[in-house]
Amino acid sequence: MKTLTFLEGGSLAGVFVMIVGMMVIGALFFSIIVTFITKLIYESKDSRKFSRKQFIQTFVICLLVCGLISGYICG
C-alpha cells in the first residue's frame, strides 16, 4: 500500500493550510513579543533610542530563527 502525503489525501489540503497558517501566525506573534522585549531592554540603558530600522531587523532575524527551528522540528 502506497503512503499518502497531506496534499495527496484528498480533502486534507485545508488541514495542511491551517497547520502552516498557525505556524506562521505563531512565529509572527512570538517575534513581535521578542522584539518588544528587546526594545524595552535596549531603551532602559543610557536613554538610547531603538530605531525603526533596528526594530525591523530584530523582527526579521527572530522570524528567521523561528523558521529554522520549525524547519528542523517539522523536517
Side-chain angles (χ1 to χ4, degrees), residues 35 38-39 42-43 49-62:
T35 305
T38 305
K39 178 182 177 180
Y42 185 80
E43 289 182 347
K49 181 72 176 150
F50 199 70
S51 69
R52 183 177 175 90
K53 182 180 176 183
Q54 288 174 317
F55 187 86
I56 293 171
Q57 284 177 343
T58 307
F59 181 73
V60 169
I61 288 170
C62 190

Side-chain angles (χ1 to χ4, degrees), residues 25-39:
I25 290 172
L28 288 171
F29 184 70
F30 181 74
S31 296
I32 286 285
I33 290 173
V34 169
T35 305
F36 275 119
I37 291 172
T38 305
K39 178 182 177 180

Side-chain angles (χ1 to χ4, degrees), residues 55-73:
F55 187 86
I56 293 171
Q57 284 177 343
T58 307
F59 181 73
V60 169
I61 288 170
C62 190
L63 271 178
L64 289 173
V65 170
C66 287
L68 285 173
I69 292 171
S70 68
Y72 181 74
I73 292 171

